[in-house]
Amino acid sequence: QMQLVESGGGLVPSGGSLRLSCAASGLYLGYYYQYDMAWYRRAPGKERELVAVHTTVGTTTYGDSVTGRFTIARDNSKRTLTLEMNRLVPEDTAVYYCSASYPSFPSRNAWGQGTQVTVSL
């Protein structure tokens, strides 16, 4: 099993910025580049929401609520995933999770434990 650990969350005022990181370790690190990587979030009282995706072929997709404000990136050599969050608003308050999806071998899918992002008024 590959392990994912998020970091970078915290308390930030409206309009501020944060940079989240996700570090991978454990098994299958040599196949990191073959994973579709993504950031999800779960806000209080809401279901899990897809924030951004960075596929193995390099395409990126953003949720409507964050497009233009967030930027997802990956470094396959360092096995890290980042999320640059700008112009944050209170609605961005959530626990943010990174995920790794391996379509050919779903048993290798992995999730981090999450990092809390709180945007104050």
Side-chain angles (χ1 to χ4, degrees):
Q1 178 67 49
M2 182 167 64
Q3 289 83 47
L4 302 175
V5 179
E6 303 94 337
S7 62
L11 177 64
V12 64
S14 296
S17 300
L18 281 176
R19 181 174 186 261
L20 305 183
S21 296
C22 176
S25 62
L27 300 178
Y28 311 117
L29 293 184
Y31 296 90
Y32 184 89
Y33 72 99
Q34 293 185 333
Y35 283 79
D36 291 333
M37 303 298 297
W39 287 96
Y40 289 81
R41 68 185 182 186
R42 188 183 296 275
K46 298 182 64 178
E47 296 183 347
R48 185 183 64 186
E49 175 188 16
L50 178 66
V51 177
V53 178
H54 196 303
T55 70
T56 185
V57 297
T59 59
T60 59
T61 304
Y62 297 92
D64 290 341
S65 63
V66 306
T67 185
R69 298 189 297 121
F70 291 9
T71 302
I72 188 172
R74 66 191 291 171
D75 187 327
N76 290 330
S77 297
K78 298 180 179 179
R79 285 103 174 186
T80 58
L81 181 76
T82 62
L83 183 69
E84 298 280 357
M85 305 186 296
N86 300 306
R87 304 195 307 278
L88 287 161
V89 295
E91 290 74 20
D92 295 320
T93 296
V95 178
Y96 285 71
Y97 304 88
C98 65
S99 71
S101 301
Y102 201 109
S104 298
F105 296 95
S107 63
R108 298 183 182 179
N109 292 353
W111 288 86
Q113 295 298 307
T115 184
Q116 176 71 50
V117 172
T118 303
V119 184
S120 62
L121 294 172

